[in-house]
């Protein structure tokens, strides 16, 4: 996947397309995961893998896992995003992370998917979006898709959030919110 600067809610991305993010050397995990960088990205120079919830100027992306600490990180995460950072959320934590960063109160939608741990959706929404143009990744077969909670309420409630993908049947699994990077 090509680099982006965003909040990705896997759920959500916040995306700024920052050139600064391309020189960052760390992939940060907030919470535990059994995945390694090699299974999360390809086509990039290998990244240092760090366990922390406090991204800095060397952090290419912050993956907030379902066990990540969300409370109290909103202001620091927003500053990181505005500096061109990327936050990616896992499975059940998207609404909580979004709420912490933007001061909203969305709840998770209904559970969806087959829990096969694939991040790419079965359906591309807005296939002409610059994200999909820059990242022509094929969709995942419906029987091999990941699982999570429907983001439709969050997407419909936030004009700045763009749906990128979902499950067969119309629920949204993948979306982003652009950030405005500092000049």
């Amino acid at each position: 996947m090509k680099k982006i600067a965003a909040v990705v809610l896997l759920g959500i991305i916040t995306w700024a397309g920052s050139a600064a993010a391309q020189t960052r050397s760390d992939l940060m995990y907030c919470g535990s995961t059994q995945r390694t960088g090699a299974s999360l990205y390809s086509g990039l120079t290998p990244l240092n893998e760090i366990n922390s919830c406090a991204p800095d100027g060397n952090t290419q992306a912050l993956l907030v896992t379902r066990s990540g600490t969300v409370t109290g990180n909103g202001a620091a995460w927003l500053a990181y995003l505005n500096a061109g950072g990327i936050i990616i959320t896992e499975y059940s934590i998207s609404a909580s992370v979004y709420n912490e960063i933007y001061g909203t109160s969305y709840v998770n939608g209904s559970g969806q998917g087959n829990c096969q741990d694939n991040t790419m959706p079965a359906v591309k929404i807005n296939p002409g979006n610059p994200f999909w143009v820059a990242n022509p990744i094929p969709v995942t077969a419906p029987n091999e898709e990941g699982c999570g909670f429907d983001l439709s309420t969050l997407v419909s409630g936030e004009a700045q959030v763009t749906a990128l993908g979902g499950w067969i049947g119309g629920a949204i699994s993948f979306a982003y919110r652009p950030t405005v990077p500092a000049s």
Side-chain angles (χ1 to χ4, degrees):
M1 188 181 303
K2 293 186 178 150
K3 297 178 176 75
I4 53 172
V7 167
V8 179
L9 303 179
L10 279 165
I12 261 187
I13 304 173
T14 296
W15 175 17
S18 168
Q22 296 178 13
T23 61
R24 297 173 181 189
S25 59
D26 299 337
L27 174 61
M28 187 170 287
Y29 300 101
C30 178
S32 61
T33 182
Q34 295 177 343
R35 299 291 183 190
T36 64
S39 67
L40 295 171
Y41 64 88
S42 63
L44 300 175
T45 302
L47 300 170
N48 303 316
E49 296 180 31
I50 298 172
N51 292 309
S52 175
C53 296
D56 60 22
N58 291 321
T59 307
Q60 172 72 246
L62 169 66
L63 172 62
V64 183
T65 72
R66 64 188 87 181
S67 64
T69 301
V70 175
T71 302
N73 284 312
W77 287 352
L78 182 59
Y80 166 69
L81 291 169
N82 287 335
I86 303 165
I87 296 177
I88 304 169
T89 61
E90 183 205 16
Y91 176 63
S92 61
I93 201 147
S94 301
S96 297
V97 169
Y98 192 89
N99 292 337
E100 184 69 16
I101 294 169
Y102 296 108
T104 55
S105 57
Y106 292 100
V107 296
N108 284 324
S110 62
Q112 306 283 322
N114 290 319
C115 294
Q116 298 299 312
D117 285 346
N118 288 309
T119 58
M120 287 301 101
V123 175
K124 284 185 182 179
I125 301 171
N126 298 312
N129 183 277
F131 176 86
W132 288 127
V133 172
N135 301 284
I137 305 162
V139 295
T140 299
N143 64 334
E144 295 180 10
E145 66 191 358
C147 60
F149 293 99
D150 183 8
L151 298 170
S152 296
T153 300
L154 190 154
V155 171
S156 67
E158 298 287 312
Q160 310 92 323
V161 175
T162 299
L164 290 175
W167 294 282
I168 301 295
I172 297 171
S173 64
F174 191 51
Y176 77 89
R177 176 178 173 154
T179 57
V180 180
S183 303

